[in-house]
């Protein structure tokens, strides 16, 4: 069982994460607009729920186990009657959600953290209609900064857990082959996949360069735009899936 209180404390101390969140949200919004999204479920919202940045929906339900993150969402001036925030693990409150029909389910920065990704995918399946699309985001094993560490001899395999991953209670490291294999085995079909925001250094190193003015937010925007040229080597990967027909 994940220690959510410890996870929350550690999460608040992660350097550079505010920028990573920004580009993760940018990608989610770019993609969600391709699909029906009147009724959205967000599983695990962190410090920046999707409704902070996106308002084009009829209803949104947010499920989050952390007290801090739930309170942050509930106190936001962006909260509207269209949004319902529920505290708890998805499996624990599943009965409150099963009668809903969601068009789009957002699961960012979660699948790699849970002890059993197949269990989470089974739970998500129970919330899907034949037309529901699930958007999943996880860190990329083949991120350029991990490849550099591998070539330097710092790690034996790009799938090895880093100290940051261990600190954040992360259990899996995925790539653009292993993630589709997992969801296919769970009887989902892949609609699209890719990676985004290539970064050449660790979060700590990136934050230090930002603090010292070595790189700017304009440079980060340029890095995000590199997806066109580095489609497999972004810092995170995304996949959109739906039930096999």
């Amino acid at each position: 069982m994940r220690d959510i209180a410890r996870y929350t404390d550690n999460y608040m101390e992660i350097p550079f994460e505010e920028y990573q969140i920004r580009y993760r949200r940018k990608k989610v919004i770019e993609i969600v607009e391709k699909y029906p999204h009147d009724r959205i479920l967000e599983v695990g919202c962190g410090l920046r729920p999707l409704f902070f940045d996106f308002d084009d929906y009829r209803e949104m339900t947010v499920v989050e186990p952390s007290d801090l993150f739930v309170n942050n969402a509930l106190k936001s001036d962006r909260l509207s009657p269209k949004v319902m925030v529920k505290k708890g693990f998805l499996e624990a409150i599943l009965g409150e959600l099963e009668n809903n029909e969601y068009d789009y389910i957002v699961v960012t920065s979660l699948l790699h953290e849970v002890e059993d990704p197949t269990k989470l995918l089974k739970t998500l399946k129970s919330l899907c209609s034949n037309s529901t699309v699930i958007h999943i985001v996880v860190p990329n094993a083949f991120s350029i900064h991990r490849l550099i560490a591998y070539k330097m001899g710092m790690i034996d395999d790009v799938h090895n857990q880093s100290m940051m991953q261990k600190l954040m209670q992360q259990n899996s490291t995925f790539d653009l082959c292993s993630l589709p294999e997992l969801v296919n085995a769970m009887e989902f079909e892949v609609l699209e996949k890719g990676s985004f925001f290539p970064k050449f250094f660790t979060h700590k190193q990136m934050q230090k360069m930002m603090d010292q003015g070595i790189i700017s937010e304009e440079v980060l925007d340029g890095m995000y735009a590199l997806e066109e040229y580095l489609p497999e080597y972004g810092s995170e990967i995304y996949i959109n899936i739906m039930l096999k027909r």
Side-chain angles (χ1 to χ4, degrees):
M1 175 68 74
R2 296 168 64 212
D3 185 335
I4 291 298
R6 182 163 60 89
Y7 170 88
T8 303
D9 289 342
N10 290 334
Y11 183 90
M12 298 296 292
E13 301 298 324
I14 299 176
F16 195 71
E17 184 64 13
E18 65 175 297
Y19 299 104
Q20 193 75 31
I21 291 172
R22 177 187 305 176
Y23 294 105
R24 188 181 301 138
R25 279 288 176 249
K26 182 178 176 66
K27 178 57 62 178
V28 171
I29 293 170
E30 286 175 2
I31 294 177
V32 69
E33 292 178 338
K34 300 179 183 179
Y35 301 94
H37 53 269
D38 273 355
R39 303 189 70 185
I40 298 176
L41 171 64
E42 182 174 28
V43 183
C45 66
L47 274 175
R48 195 165 189 88
L50 182 56
F51 71 82
F52 278 23
D53 304 294
F54 185 69
D55 190 48
D56 182 22
Y57 52 86
R58 184 161 55 89
E59 297 177 15
M60 181 181 294
T61 302
V62 177
V63 176
E64 170 59 56
S66 165
D67 287 323
L68 176 64
F69 298 158
V70 166
N71 291 335
N72 180 63
L74 291 174
K75 293 177 181 178
S76 170
D77 58 8
R78 298 175 179 89
L79 186 67
S80 78
K82 298 193 298 183
V83 179
M84 179 180 297
V85 180
K86 291 182 174 289
K87 181 182 179 302
F89 290 99
L90 182 64
E91 297 86 351
I93 63 170
L94 185 59
E96 302 176 33
L97 306 172
E98 284 183 314
N99 293 327
N100 295 323
E101 293 186 2
Y102 299 106
D103 299 303
Y104 203 80
I105 301 177
V106 178
V107 189
T108 61
S109 301
L110 179 59
L111 191 68
H112 61 294
E113 294 182 343
V114 298
E115 294 179 7
D116 185 355
T118 61
K119 182 179 178 181
L120 175 57
L121 289 170
K122 286 179 182 177
T123 303
L124 292 169
K125 281 180 73 173
S126 69
L127 295 170
C128 289
S129 69
N130 289 333
S131 60
T132 303
V133 175
I134 303 176
H135 177 77
I136 296 173
V137 176
V138 293
N140 184 13
F142 284 92
S143 171
I144 291 176
H145 82 282
R146 295 181 71 93
L147 290 170
I148 290 173
Y150 172 67
K151 288 299 183 180
M152 290 174 63
M154 296 177 65
I155 55 176
D156 297 326
D157 189 296
V158 292
H159 296 88
N160 286 358
Q161 283 192 318
S162 67
M163 292 301 295
M164 179 65 73
Q165 286 176 296
K166 293 176 181 177
L167 178 68
M168 296 309 299
Q169 305 173 57
Q170 297 177 8
N171 292 283
S172 304
T173 308
F174 293 106
D175 57 49
L176 282 170
C177 290
S178 63
L179 184 56
E181 287 174 358
L182 174 64
V183 298
N184 278 321
M186 297 300 297
E187 299 183 340
F188 288 101
E189 66 174 288
V190 177
L191 304 176
E192 62 179 317
K193 63 179 181 178
S195 75
F196 62 95
F197 194 44
K199 67 181 181 69
F200 295 82
F201 304 102
T202 65
H203 267 32
K204 185 176 181 179
Q205 291 167 330
M206 293 290 293
Q207 185 65 58
K208 187 173 183 179
M209 286 189 286
M210 292 294 293
D211 292 343
Q212 296 181 358
I214 297 171
I215 59 175
S216 64
E217 293 189 15
E218 289 76 17
V219 172
L220 299 184
D221 289 340
M223 290 167 55
Y224 182 83
L226 286 174
E227 179 181 345
E228 176 183 357
Y229 305 99
L230 299 168
E232 299 178 6
Y233 304 111
S235 55
E236 298 189 336
I237 56 179
Y238 65 88
I239 190 169
N240 270 31
I241 61 176
M242 65 189 307
L243 294 176
K244 285 183 178 178
R245 297 175 183 175

